[in-house]
C-alpha cells in the first residue's frame, strides 16, 4: 500500500468509534445513530456526526474498512490528502446518511 496517512487515520477513527459504539447500551446507543427527527428538535446532534464513523457490527466495519483501505489511497493520491479528509469523507458520509 502506498503512503496514505489520511486513509489510515480515517480507518483508525472508524475502528475506535465503532468499537465504542458496539459497547454502548440503552439510550447511549442512540449517540451513534443518526435520527433526523431528534436532530430537528435539538437532540441527538452527536449522533449526526458519530453515525458517519460507526458501523452496525463487526462484519459491516470490516467490509467498509477494506473498501477504504483499497480505494482511499487512490482517492487520496488523485484529490490530495486534504480533500479526502475534510470535504471528501464528510460529503460521502452526509450523502450516505
Amino acid at each position: 500500500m502506498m503512503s496514505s496517512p489520511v486513509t489510515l487515520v480515517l480507518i483508525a477513527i472508524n475502528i475506535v468509534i465503532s468499537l465504542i459504539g458496539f459497547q454502548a447500551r440503552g439510550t447511549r446507543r442512540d449517540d451513534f445513530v443518526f435520527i433526523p427527527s431528534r436532530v430537528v428538535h435539538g437532540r441527538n446532534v452527536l449522533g449526526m456526526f458519530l453515525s458517519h464513523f460507526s458501523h452496525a457490527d463487526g462484519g459491516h466495519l470490516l467490509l467498509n474498512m477494506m473498501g477504504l483501505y483499497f480505494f482511499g489511497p487512490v482517492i487520496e493520491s488523485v484529490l490530495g490528502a486534504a480533500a479526502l479528509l475534510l470535504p471528501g469523507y464528510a460529503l460521502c458520509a452526509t450523502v450516505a446518511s
Side-chain angles (χ1 to χ4, degrees), residues 82-93:
L84 176 62
L85 182 59
L86 296 176
Y89 195 83
L91 176 65
C92 290

Side-chain angles (χ1 to χ4, degrees), residues 15-35:
I15 290 171
V16 168
I17 290 176
S18 290
L19 291 175
I20 293 169
F22 294 159
Q23 300 300 315
R25 299 288 178 251
T27 58
R28 290 279 307 150
R29 225 173 151 84
D30 288 350
D31 290 344
F32 298 89
V33 179
F34 177 52
I35 305 170

Side-chain angles (χ1 to χ4, degrees), residues 3 11 17 26 44 48 88 92 96:
S3 178
I11 289 172
I17 290 176
N44 193 246
M48 184 171 59
C92 290

Side-chain angles (χ1 to χ4, degrees), residues 22-91:
F22 294 159
Q23 300 300 315
R25 299 288 178 251
T27 58
R28 290 279 307 150
R29 225 173 151 84
D30 288 350
D31 290 344
F32 298 89
V33 179
F34 177 52
I35 305 170
S37 62
R38 291 186 185 174
V39 173
V40 168
H41 293 100
R43 300 182 319 251
N44 193 246
V45 176
L46 185 60
M48 184 171 59
F49 298 106
L50 290 181
S51 66
H52 300 319
F53 299 100
S54 61
H55 296 79
D57 55 38
H60 181 212
L61 175 63
L62 177 66
L63 290 175
N64 280 9
M65 294 309 98
M66 284 176 56
L68 185 54
Y69 180 82
F70 289 112
F71 292 108
V74 176
I75 295 168
E76 191 173 338
S77 69
V78 171
L79 298 179
L84 176 62
L85 182 59
L86 296 176
Y89 195 83
L91 176 65

